[in-house]
Amino acid sequence: MPGVGGLWSDLADLVLPADCAGCGGRQPGGRHGVCPSCVTELESHRPHPVRPTPAPPGLPPCFALGPYAGALRGALLAYKERGRHGLARPLGALLAEVVAVAVPGGRPVVLVPVPDTAAAARARYGDHLGRLARHAAARLAGAGWSVRVERPVRALPRPDSVTLDSAGRAEAAASAFRARPAWRPVPVGRRGAVEPVVVLLDDIITTGSTIAAVNGVLAATGRSPLVAAVLAATVKQHHS
Ligand SMILES: [Zn+2]
């Protein structure tokens, strides 16, 4: 994979349960979190533009690593639902690859993870997206990028979106976030005056309503993300 590189060597440092996080298979040796064939599958993904159909109003350009299927889906579920925090580093590194494609030219970036409600964060073994964002930032910084993680948006309590149809989801998403007043990303970089690109981060894009809603509240403060970077796009997405 081009870009920041060397992703999966990190996995050699992990001591995880013997089941592969990607496919659930039991692997010989059992020391790595992801089996060789799942590593090959994950490394074969190339970040690309995605666009839900229909796209909700206010959705910024979105980039995803790959479809929400196979090893990528397995690794995300193992990380989020089964508490395998050791996957944060390789998944964060993969997210860094998406950012590197979404923001060409090496401009400074401010990474803004989509916030979770506190209840959702607890149910998912902690702030899983914040952790991915920190690892993605570390990976980008190691490759020479000027990068920071900021949390200018908080989530308000909201109903479980699983029970809503897509119009209901969009409505719920629009009222689910508040931005810190007057937030502006501070210029970063050695020269100190380069306007950063704001990159919204999420793990999965489905209808795009969450990303559009967070973009909307940031836009209301006078700043809007230029792009969004996610790991997985549900299979109804198509390349734009
Ligand atoms: Zn596997």
Side-chain angles (χ1 to χ4, degrees):
M1 189 178 289
V4 250
L7 308 176
W8 292 92
S9 60
D10 290 329
L11 282 171
D13 299 329
L14 300 178
V15 179
L16 286 170
D19 292 348
C20 167
C23 63
R26 201 151 267 267
Q27 49 186 319
R31 189 159 181 272
H32 303 284
V34 180
C35 76
S37 83
C38 284
V39 168
T40 301
E41 181 183 331
L42 288 164
E43 286 183 328
S44 73
H45 291 307
R46 295 289 177 270
H48 58 272
V50 292
R51 199 86 189 148
T53 309
L59 188 72
C62 299
F63 291 75
L65 181 73
Y68 186 56
L72 184 54
R73 179 174 178 275
L76 271 171
L77 285 173
Y79 172 59
K80 287 169 59 181
E81 312 297 340
R82 295 203 295 280
R84 287 177 67 166
H85 288 176
L87 291 167
R89 186 168 168 169
L91 289 173
L94 289 170
L95 192 53
E97 296 285 343
V98 182
V99 174
V101 170
V103 185
R107 285 178 64 187
V109 291
V110 171
L111 305 180
V112 176
V114 167
D116 249 332
T117 63
R122 279 193 299 276
R124 290 171 180 172
Y125 299 90
D127 178 16
H128 75 273
L129 199 60
R131 214 181 290 117
L132 287 187
R134 288 192 294 277
H135 282 284
R139 173 68 59 168
L140 289 164
W145 288 59
S146 295
V147 55
R148 267 203 330 279
V149 178
E150 292 195 17
R151 311 298 296 260
V153 180
R154 67 190 176 93
L156 306 174
R158 56 182 154 158
D160 187 346
S161 64
V162 173
T163 62
L164 300 173
D165 61 15
S166 64
R169 281 171 71 117
E171 205 170 286
S175 60
F177 301 102
R178 290 284 181 279
R180 275 194 249 134
W183 175 75
R184 290 188 66 81
V186 177
V188 292
R190 278 184 267 285
R191 289 177 294 279
V194 182
E195 192 75 358
V197 177
V198 180
V199 184
L200 265 183
L201 301 181
D202 209 348
D203 50 3
I204 300 164
I205 184 170
T206 304
T207 64
S209 60
T210 302
I211 287 171
V214 174
N215 188 40
V217 299
L218 283 179
T221 72
R223 283 301 304 235
S224 186
L226 294 186
V227 293
V230 305
L231 281 173
T234 51
V235 287
K236 279 169 71 182
Q237 315 299 315
H238 62 83
H239 296 202
S240 64

